[in-house]
Amino acid sequence: MSQLVSVFREEHFNAAHRLHNPSWSDAENQRIFGKCNLPHFHGHNYELIVKVTGEIDPETGYVIDMKVLSDIINEKVLNRFDHRNLNEDVAEFKDLNPTAENIVVVIYNLLRPSISEHLSLQIRLYETPRNFVEFPVS
Amino acid sequence: MSQLVSVFREEHFNAAHRLHNPSWSDAENQRIFGKCNLPHFHGHNYELIVKVTGEIDPETGYVIDMKVLSDIINEKVLNRFDHRNLNEDVAEFKDLNPTAENIVVVIYNLLRPSISEHLSLQIRLYETPRNFVEFPVS
Amino acid sequence: MSQLVSVFREEHFNAAHRLHNPSWSDAENQRIFGKCNLPHFHGHNYELIVKVTGEIDPETGYVIDMKVLSDIINEKVLNRFDHRNLNEDVAEFKDLNPTAENIVVVIYNLLRPSISEHLSLQIRLYETPRNFVEFPVS
Amino acid sequence: MSQLVSVFREEHFNAAHRLHNPSWSDAENQRIFGKCNLPHFHGHNYELIVKVTGEIDPETGYVIDMKVLSDIINEKVLNRFDHRNLNEDVAEFKDLNPTAENIVVVIYNLLRPSISEHLSLQIRLYETPRNFVEFPVS
Amino acid sequence: MSQLVSVFREEHFNAAHRLHNPSWSDAENQRIFGKCNLPHFHGHNYELIVKVTGEIDPETGYVIDMKVLSDIINEKVLNRFDHRNLNEDVAEFKDLNPTAENIVVVIYNLLRPSISEHLSLQIRLYETPRNFVEFPVS
Amino acid sequence: MSQLVSVFREEHFNAAHRLHNPSWSDAENQRIFGKCNLPHFHGHNYELIVKVTGEIDPETGYVIDMKVLSDIINEKVLNRFDHRNLNEDVAEFKDLNPTAENIVVVIYNLLRPSISEHLSLQIRLYETPRNFVEFPVS
């Protein structure tokens, strides 16, 4: 009888960003986003936890090989986000405000095609140790 | 198309408490609660994680502004619990044993009216790094 | 009216293990398991989080007494796993590869009979701070 | 040739306390100690790191057996401080304000006689994850 | 008899930066600084631990009031560094590469005049959980 | 004027070991080392913090390039210790009990020749989050 288990892999990246809505006035941006709207960017050590749920393979004892999962995260996310400016360097945020909420959905969409459709996927993203987000919701 | 995301904010407070059931004998209190029943109180650095789930606002990219959420937690919980004696100073525990289980339900009830009804709410409370509780259950 | 709350207790154990499928060639074991297949074992500080969900007892304010829960975990799991070689010393892994996925299912099955059937149970197991698993899935 | 090594053992205790100088007015106590002066006490999860420095014993490979060190800390400190009210229950603080600075010196003095005079001793005490103290200074 | 104790206060700030030596070619900057030289900046959650060593004041039981120390760190460092771009927004890094080593010396020099000369000062700065620096050396 | 700064790099490895003195009887080994003497080995997630102290290079702003330091640690220590059995696979422990104290001295001796003699070196090794050692002493 097969057993469903969730496995989690944590990775991290360092990036700069700035919160800004170009359709608002500077005053409105400042009022809503405060210091996060400062023009020259700030940054974070983002911690990313990728959760994959599926059946244990009886041959390997794995749901997914953690080294394979780590390689996928590195190729699809870290290679494009790490040591970058999310607003300036990452195409997905050209017209999308890089809040933690929007980043976590973008990361899910980047990883989903590389994970077997028999496996479900959930992403948790720490912007700071005290502020974090999760998608999809459970 | 709207996206549901969970956001989490961690806050902390330091408080004294004592576990005691006034309808029991001293011996019964001692037998059940052990050192937690000692008469002069002990205390904890409580860590509180507040999870709010809802749709991303397309204007801000936020589910809820973390500064607003932090202000609500400070006003409704920390102002009343931090550096206090839960048994002596907090009305909700006048007739309710301040176990972690009861504290987390009280905190949920204090925060729920201040969070929009379109958003769902869950609380995790760490009494120590190795003992923690969550309400409502998921 | 009764309230359902989840309580969590964290314990830890140190163990050696090795990943190996005896029906494969050495080359195949090496290709799939890499360094985890090295013949003389390696080891981990496993962190174990046991989650128990149920109603708050109105007499105690507890879902389950954390000292009782800790004693059960010590008797059923730590006494048999701590400072042991999972492959050599723990009968459940005689014919089962001690991956984190298989270990977490074994731990669940060891604890389930000792937890009241009115309470639900979930186990999270950290093999390293960056690799962890959960069973059953939520 | 002998080698000097430092070994560290971490233990923890939960206690209540209140900062108060009985020779001052209530207003002065409130002005200096703020919320830490509230009359009904608050509390902390204190983390204690005991550092012992000495030569490696060539027979055991130990500077000091960590189990022995842990037993000493439990007997001399935790048995008297854990789940207690430092102001009310611990004789050393009858006339001494239980600030982290004073607590760490008291703990040093409690442990020093039980550690061989060939070994040097230093104590670090975390009152919260963000506030901690060390004695003697290095 | 007076007692010397060290007290530590941890604070944090989020900032963007980029490593670059303007007297080198782009190729040389890229060769030495790698991803840290990418032109649009990246960022970190910097954790700052300020250590102050001095005698315990017998009136207060404090070496220095932690609230006062926290206020000094906020006024002198966080107000100028938090949510900023160190290269663009902080005058001290106009002609100084904002490596962790240079940042920790700058922070020491910003704080030193505000700490009583009877107290000694040491700064530890975490750029990531795995990379950190300390000044002056001990 | 040159500035002395300490830089720290954290790395980790997973290994199996067993504490045993071959010149003692089995009973004596069991009495002194307890569960750490069990014959089939146990293991740990060792965390290693390497501290290097020296002058800031005015050209780079570095004491030592953290990538270079990480590469040295990987080549000299992790390649030989990670996922190994210290007693069986690492020559230095053929006749030396792999206590944390002895391991930290061995690691220092492996790294010292690869670090410039103008730089001083200190190693901290966590065997568990609650048991750790440091060499040379400070």
Side-chain angles (χ1 to χ4, degrees), chain E residues 53-113:
Chain E
T53 300
E55 292 183 8
I56 302 179
D57 178 327
E59 291 295 304
T60 59
Y62 285 161
V63 169
I64 183 174
D65 185 329
M66 287 292 207
K67 293 185 302 296
V68 170
L69 179 57
S70 176
D71 288 347
I72 293 170
I73 301 168
N74 271 273
E75 181 193 343
K76 298 299 180 188
V77 180
L78 305 194
N79 282 350
R80 297 184 58 224
F81 286 36
D82 188 33
H83 283 74
R84 305 301 164 98
N85 183 310
L86 299 179
N87 305 64
E88 301 277 318
D89 297 330
V90 179
E92 283 83 354
F93 301 108
K94 190 170 187 315
D95 300 309
L96 183 69
N97 205 8
T99 58
E101 290 91 328
N102 283 331
I103 299 171
V104 77
V105 175
V106 165
I107 289 174
Y108 176 86
N109 289 332
L110 287 172
L111 289 176
R112 184 62 269 187

Coordinates of all heavy atoms in Angstrom, one line a residue, chain E residues 53-113:
Chain E
T53 N 30.8 46.4 27.4 CA 31.4 45.8 28.6 C 31.7 46.9 29.6 O 32.3 47.9 29.2 CB 32.7 45.0 28.2 OG1 32.4 44.0 27.2 CG2 33.4 44.4 29.4
G54 N 31.3 46.6 30.8 CA 31.6 47.6 31.9 C 31.1 47.0 33.2 O 30.7 45.9 33.3
E55 N 31.2 47.9 34.2 CA 30.8 47.5 35.6 C 29.3 47.6 35.8 O 28.7 48.4 35.2 CB 31.5 48.4 36.6 CG 33.0 48.3 36.7 CD 33.6 49.1 37.8 OE1 32.8 49.7 38.6 OE2 34.8 49.2 37.8
I56 N 28.8 46.6 36.6 CA 27.4 46.7 36.9 C 27.1 47.9 37.9 O 27.8 48.0 38.9 CB 26.9 45.4 37.7 CG1 27.2 44.2 36.8 CG2 25.5 45.5 38.0 CD1 26.8 42.8 37.5
D57 N 26.2 48.7 37.5 CA 25.8 49.8 38.4 C 25.0 49.3 39.6 O 24.0 48.6 39.4 CB 24.9 50.8 37.6 CG 24.4 52.0 38.4 OD1 24.2 51.8 39.6 OD2 24.2 53.0 37.8
P58 N 25.5 49.5 40.8 CA 24.8 48.8 41.9 C 23.4 49.4 42.2 O 22.6 48.7 42.8 CB 25.7 49.1 43.1 CG 26.5 50.3 42.7 CD 26.7 50.2 41.2
E59 N 23.1 50.5 41.7 CA 21.7 51.1 41.8 C 20.7 50.4 40.9 O 19.6 50.1 41.3 CB 21.7 52.6 41.5 CG 22.5 53.4 42.6 CD 21.8 53.4 43.9 OE1 20.6 53.7 44.0 OE2 22.4 53.0 44.9
T60 N 21.1 50.2 39.7 CA 20.2 49.6 38.7 C 20.4 48.2 38.4 O 19.4 47.5 37.9 CB 20.3 50.4 37.3 OG1 21.7 50.2 36.9 CG2 20.0 51.8 37.4
G61 N 21.5 47.6 38.7 CA 21.9 46.3 38.3 C 22.2 46.2 36.8 O 22.3 45.1 36.3
Y62 N 22.3 47.3 36.1 CA 22.6 47.3 34.7 C 24.0 47.7 34.4 O 24.6 48.5 35.2 CB 21.7 48.4 34.0 CG 20.3 48.2 33.8 CD1 19.4 49.2 33.6 CD2 19.7 46.9 33.8 CE1 18.0 49.0 33.4 CE2 18.4 46.6 33.6 CZ 17.5 47.7 33.4 OH 16.2 47.5 33.2
V63 N 24.6 47.2 33.3 CA 25.8 47.8 32.8 C 25.4 49.0 32.0 O 26.0 50.1 32.0 CB 26.6 46.8 31.9 CG1 27.7 47.5 31.1 CG2 27.2 45.7 32.8
I64 N 24.4 48.9 31.1 CA 23.8 49.9 30.4 C 22.3 49.5 30.2 O 22.1 48.3 30.0 CB 24.5 50.2 29.0 CG1 23.9 51.4 28.3 CG2 24.5 49.0 28.2 CD1 24.7 51.8 27.0
D65 N 21.4 50.5 30.3 CA 20.0 50.2 30.0 C 19.8 49.7 28.6 O 20.2 50.5 27.7 CB 19.2 51.5 30.3 CG 17.7 51.2 30.2 OD1 17.3 50.4 29.4 OD2 17.0 51.9 31.0
M66 N 19.3 48.5 28.4 CA 19.2 48.0 27.0 C 18.3 48.8 26.2 O 18.4 48.9 24.9 CB 18.6 46.5 27.1 CG 19.6 45.5 27.6 SD 20.9 45.2 26.4 CE 21.4 43.5 26.9
K67 N 17.3 49.5 26.8 CA 16.4 50.4 26.0 C 17.2 51.6 25.5 O 17.0 52.0 24.3 CB 15.2 50.9 26.8 CG 14.3 49.7 27.2 CD 13.0 50.2 27.9 CE 13.4 51.0 29.2 NZ 14.0 50.2 30.2
V68 N 18.1 52.1 26.3 CA 18.9 53.2 25.9 C 19.9 52.8 24.8 O 20.1 53.5 23.8 CB 19.7 53.8 27.1 CG1 20.8 54.8 26.7 CG2 18.8 54.4 28.2
L69 N 20.5 51.6 25.0 CA 21.4 51.1 24.0 C 20.7 50.9 22.7 O 21.2 51.3 21.6 CB 22.0 49.8 24.4 CG 23.0 49.1 23.5 CD1 24.2 50.0 23.1 CD2 23.5 47.8 24.1
S70 N 19.5 50.3 22.7 CA 18.7 50.1 21.5 C 18.3 51.4 20.8 O 18.4 51.6 19.6 CB 17.4 49.3 21.9 OG 16.6 49.2 20.7
D71 N 18.0 52.4 21.6 CA 17.7 53.8 21.1 C 18.9 54.3 20.4 O 18.8 55.0 19.3 CB 17.3 54.7 22.2 CG 15.9 54.4 22.7 OD1 15.1 53.6 22.0 OD2 15.5 54.9 23.7
I72 N 20.1 54.2 20.9 CA 21.3 54.7 20.3 C 21.6 54.0 19.0 O 21.9 54.6 18.0 CB 22.6 54.5 21.3 CG1 22.4 55.4 22.5 CG2 23.9 54.8 20.5 CD1 23.4 55.0 23.6
I73 N 21.4 52.7 19.0 CA 21.7 51.9 17.7 C 20.7 52.4 16.7 O 21.0 52.6 15.5 CB 21.6 50.4 18.0 CG1 22.6 49.9 19.0 CG2 21.8 49.6 16.7 CD1 22.3 48.5 19.5
N74 N 19.4 52.6 17.1 CA 18.4 53.0 16.1 C 18.7 54.4 15.5 O 18.7 54.6 14.3 CB 17.0 53.0 16.7 CG 16.3 51.6 16.6 OD1 15.7 51.4 15.6 ND2 16.5 50.7 17.5
E75 N 19.1 55.3 16.4 CA 19.4 56.7 16.0 C 20.6 56.8 15.1 O 20.6 57.4 14.1 CB 19.5 57.6 17.2 CG 19.8 59.0 16.8 CD 20.2 59.9 18.0 OE1 20.1 59.4 19.2 OE2 20.8 61.0 17.8
K76 N 21.7 56.1 15.5 CA 23.0 56.3 14.8 C 23.2 55.4 13.6 O 23.9 55.7 12.7 CB 24.1 56.0 15.8 CG 24.1 57.0 17.0 CD 24.3 58.4 16.6 CE 24.3 59.4 17.8 NZ 24.3 60.8 17.4
V77 N 22.6 54.2 13.7 CA 22.8 53.2 12.6 C 21.5 52.9 11.8 O 21.5 53.2 10.6 CB 23.4 51.9 13.1 CG1 23.7 50.9 12.0 CG2 24.7 52.2 13.9
L78 N 20.5 52.4 12.4 CA 19.3 51.9 11.7 C 18.6 53.0 10.9 O 18.2 52.8 9.8 CB 18.4 51.2 12.6 CG 18.9 50.0 13.5 CD1 17.8 49.2 14.0 CD2 19.9 49.2 12.7
N79 N 18.5 54.2 11.5 CA 17.9 55.3 10.8 C 18.6 55.7 9.5 O 17.9 56.2 8.6 CB 17.8 56.6 11.7 CG 16.7 56.5 12.7 OD1 15.9 55.6 12.7 ND2 16.8 57.4 13.7
R80 N 19.8 55.4 9.4 CA 20.6 55.7 8.2 C 20.8 54.5 7.3 O 21.1 54.7 6.1 CB 21.9 56.3 8.6 CG 21.8 57.6 9.4 CD 23.1 58.3 9.7 NE 23.9 58.5 8.5 CZ 25.2 58.2 8.3 NH1 25.9 57.7 9.3 NH2 25.7 58.5 7.2
F81 N 20.7 53.3 7.8 CA 21.0 52.1 7.0 C 19.8 51.3 6.6 O 19.8 50.7 5.5 CB 22.0 51.2 7.8 CG 23.4 51.6 7.9 CD1 23.8 52.9 8.1 CD2 24.4 50.6 7.9 CE1 25.1 53.3 8.2 CE2 25.8 51.0 8.0 CZ 26.1 52.3 8.2
D82 N 18.8 51.3 7.4 CA 17.7 50.4 7.2 C 16.8 50.8 6.0 O 16.4 51.9 5.8 CB 16.7 50.4 8.4 CG 15.7 49.3 8.3 OD1 16.0 48.2 7.7 OD2 14.6 49.5 8.8
H83 N 16.6 49.8 5.1 CA 15.8 50.0 3.9 C 16.5 51.0 2.9 O 15.9 51.6 2.1 CB 14.4 50.4 4.1 CG 13.5 49.3 4.6 ND1 13.6 48.7 5.8 CD2 12.6 48.6 3.9 CE1 12.7 47.7 5.9 NE2 12.1 47.6 4.7
R84 N 17.9 51.1 3.0 CA 18.6 51.9 2.1 C 19.6 51.1 1.2 O 19.7 49.9 1.5 CB 19.5 52.9 3.0 CG 18.8 53.7 4.0 CD 17.7 54.6 3.3 NE 16.8 55.1 4.4 CZ 16.9 56.3 4.9 NH1 17.8 57.1 4.5 NH2 16.0 56.7 5.9
N85 N 20.1 51.8 0.3 CA 21.1 51.3 -0.6 C 22.5 51.8 -0.1 O 22.7 53.1 -0.1 CB 20.9 51.8 -2.0 CG 21.9 51.2 -3.0 OD1 23.1 51.3 -2.8 ND2 21.4 50.7 -4.1
L86 N 23.3 50.9 0.5 CA 24.5 51.4 1.2 C 25.4 52.2 0.2 O 26.0 53.2 0.6 CB 25.3 50.2 1.8 CG 24.5 49.4 2.8 CD1 25.3 48.2 3.3 CD2 24.0 50.3 4.0
N87 N 25.6 51.7 -1.0 CA 26.4 52.4 -2.0 C 25.9 53.8 -2.3 O 26.6 54.8 -2.5 CB 26.5 51.7 -3.3 CG 27.0 50.2 -3.1 OD1 26.3 49.4 -2.5 ND2 28.2 49.9 -3.7
E88 N 24.6 53.9 -2.5 CA 24.0 55.2 -3.0 C 23.5 56.1 -1.9 O 23.5 57.4 -2.2 CB 22.7 54.8 -3.9 CG 23.0 53.9 -5.0 CD 23.5 54.6 -6.2 OE1 22.9 55.7 -6.5 OE2 24.4 54.1 -6.9
D89 N 23.1 55.6 -0.8 CA 22.4 56.4 0.2 C 23.2 56.8 1.4 O 22.8 57.6 2.2 CB 21.1 55.7 0.7 CG 20.1 55.5 -0.4 OD1 20.1 56.3 -1.4 OD2 19.4 54.5 -0.4
V90 N 24.3 56.1 1.7 CA 25.1 56.2 2.9 C 26.4 56.8 2.6 O 27.3 56.2 2.0 CB 25.2 54.9 3.7 CG1 26.0 55.0 5.0 CG2 23.8 54.3 3.9
A91 N 26.6 58.0 3.1 CA 27.8 58.8 2.8 C 29.1 58.1 3.0 O 30.1 58.2 2.2 CB 27.8 60.2 3.5
E92 N 29.2 57.3 4.1 CA 30.5 56.6 4.4 C 30.9 55.7 3.4 O 32.1 55.3 3.3 CB 30.3 55.9 5.8 CG 30.3 56.7 7.0 CD 29.0 57.4 7.3 OE1 28.0 57.2 6.5 OE2 28.8 58.0 8.4
F93 N 30.0 55.2 2.5 CA 30.4 54.2 1.5 C 30.5 54.9 0.1 O 30.6 54.2 -0.9 CB 29.4 53.1 1.5 CG 29.3 52.4 2.8 CD1 28.2 52.5 3.6 CD2 30.4 51.6 3.2 CE1 28.2 51.9 4.8 CE2 30.4 51.0 4.5 CZ 29.3 51.1 5.3
K94 N 30.6 56.2 0.1 CA 30.7 56.9 -1.2 C 32.1 56.4 -1.9 O 32.1 56.2 -3.1 CB 30.7 58.4 -1.0 CG 30.7 59.2 -2.3 CD 30.4 60.7 -1.9 CE 30.2 61.5 -3.2 NZ 31.1 61.2 -4.3
D95 N 33.1 56.3 -1.1 CA 34.4 55.9 -1.6 C 35.0 54.7 -0.9 O 36.2 54.5 -0.8 CB 35.4 57.1 -1.5 CG 35.0 58.3 -2.3 OD1 34.6 58.1 -3.5 OD2 34.9 59.4 -1.7
L96 N 34.1 53.9 -0.3 CA 34.5 52.7 0.5 C 33.6 51.6 0.1 O 32.4 51.7 0.2 CB 34.3 53.1 2.0 CG 34.8 52.0 3.0 CD1 36.3 51.8 2.9 CD2 34.3 52.3 4.4
N97 N 34.2 50.5 -0.3 CA 33.4 49.3 -0.8 C 32.6 48.7 0.4 O 33.2 48.4 1.5 CB 34.4 48.3 -1.3 CG 33.8 47.3 -2.3 OD1 32.7 47.5 -2.7 ND2 34.6 46.3 -2.7
P98 N 31.3 48.6 0.3 CA 30.5 48.1 1.4 C 30.6 46.6 1.7 O 29.5 45.9 1.7 CB 29.1 48.6 1.1 CG 29.1 48.6 -0.4 CD 30.5 48.9 -0.9
T99 N 31.8 46.1 1.8 CA 32.0 44.7 2.3 C 31.5 44.6 3.8 O 31.5 45.7 4.5 CB 33.4 44.3 2.2 OG1 34.2 45.2 3.0 CG2 33.9 44.3 0.8
A100 N 31.2 43.4 4.2 CA 30.9 43.3 5.7 C 32.0 43.8 6.6 O 31.7 44.4 7.6 CB 30.6 41.8 6.0
E101 N 33.2 43.6 6.2 CA 34.4 44.1 7.0 C 34.3 45.6 7.1 O 34.5 46.2 8.2 CB 35.7 43.7 6.3 CG 36.0 42.2 6.4 CD 35.5 41.4 5.2 OE1 34.5 41.8 4.6 OE2 36.2 40.4 4.8
N102 N 34.1 46.3 6.0 CA 34.1 47.8 6.0 C 32.8 48.3 6.7 O 32.9 49.3 7.5 CB 34.2 48.4 4.6 CG 35.6 48.3 4.1 OD1 36.6 48.4 4.8 ND2 35.8 48.2 2.8
I103 N 31.7 47.6 6.6 CA 30.5 48.0 7.2 C 30.6 47.9 8.8 O 30.2 48.8 9.5 CB 29.3 47.2 6.8 CG1 29.0 47.3 5.3 CG2 28.0 47.6 7.5 CD1 28.0 46.4 4.7
V104 N 31.2 46.9 9.2 CA 31.3 46.7 10.7 C 32.2 47.8 11.3 O 32.0 48.2 12.4 CB 31.7 45.3 11.1 CG1 33.2 45.0 10.9 CG2 31.3 44.9 12.5
V105 N 33.3 48.2 10.6 CA 34.1 49.2 11.1 C 33.4 50.6 11.1 O 33.5 51.4 12.1 CB 35.4 49.3 10.3 CG1 36.3 50.5 10.8 CG2 36.3 48.0 10.5
V106 N 32.6 50.8 10.1 CA 31.8 52.1 10.0 C 30.8 52.1 11.2 O 30.7 53.1 11.8 CB 31.1 52.2 8.6 CG1 30.0 53.2 8.7 CG2 32.1 52.5 7.5
I107 N 30.1 51.0 11.4 CA 29.2 51.0 12.5 C 29.8 51.2 13.8 O 29.3 52.0 14.7 CB 28.4 49.6 12.5 CG1 27.5 49.6 11.3 CG2 27.6 49.4 13.8 CD1 26.8 48.2 11.1
Y108 N 31.0 50.6 14.1 CA 31.7 50.9 15.3 C 32.0 52.4 15.5 O 31.8 53.0 16.6 CB 33.0 50.1 15.3 CG 33.9 50.4 16.5 CD1 33.7 49.7 17.7 CD2 34.9 51.3 16.5 CE1 34.5 49.9 18.8 CE2 35.6 51.6 17.6 CZ 35.4 50.9 18.8 OH 36.2 51.2 19.9
N109 N 32.5 53.0 14.4 CA 32.8 54.4 14.5 C 31.6 55.3 14.7 O 31.7 56.4 15.3 CB 33.6 54.8 13.2 CG 35.0 54.2 13.3 OD1 35.6 54.0 14.3 ND2 35.6 54.0 12.1
L110 N 30.4 54.9 14.2 CA 29.2 55.6 14.4 C 28.7 55.5 15.8 O 28.2 56.5 16.4 CB 28.1 55.1 13.4 CG 28.3 55.5 12.0 CD1 27.2 54.8 11.1 CD2 28.1 57.0 11.8
L111 N 28.9 54.4 16.4 CA 28.4 54.1 17.8 C 29.3 54.6 18.9 O 28.9 55.0 20.0 CB 28.1 52.7 18.0 CG 26.9 52.1 17.2 CD1 26.7 50.6 17.4 CD2 25.6 52.8 17.7
R112 N 30.6 54.5 18.7 CA 31.6 54.7 19.7 C 31.4 56.1 20.5 O 31.4 56.1 21.7 CB 33.0 54.6 19.1 CG 34.2 54.8 20.1 CD 34.3 53.7 21.1 NE 33.6 54.1 22.4 CZ 33.7 53.4 23.5 NH1 34.4 52.2 23.6 NH2 33.0 53.7 24.6
P113 N 31.1 57.2 19.8 CA 31.0 58.5 20.5 C 29.8 58.5 21.4 O 29.8 59.4 22.3 CB 30.9 59.5 19.4 CG 31.4 58.9 18.1 CD 31.1 57.4 18.3

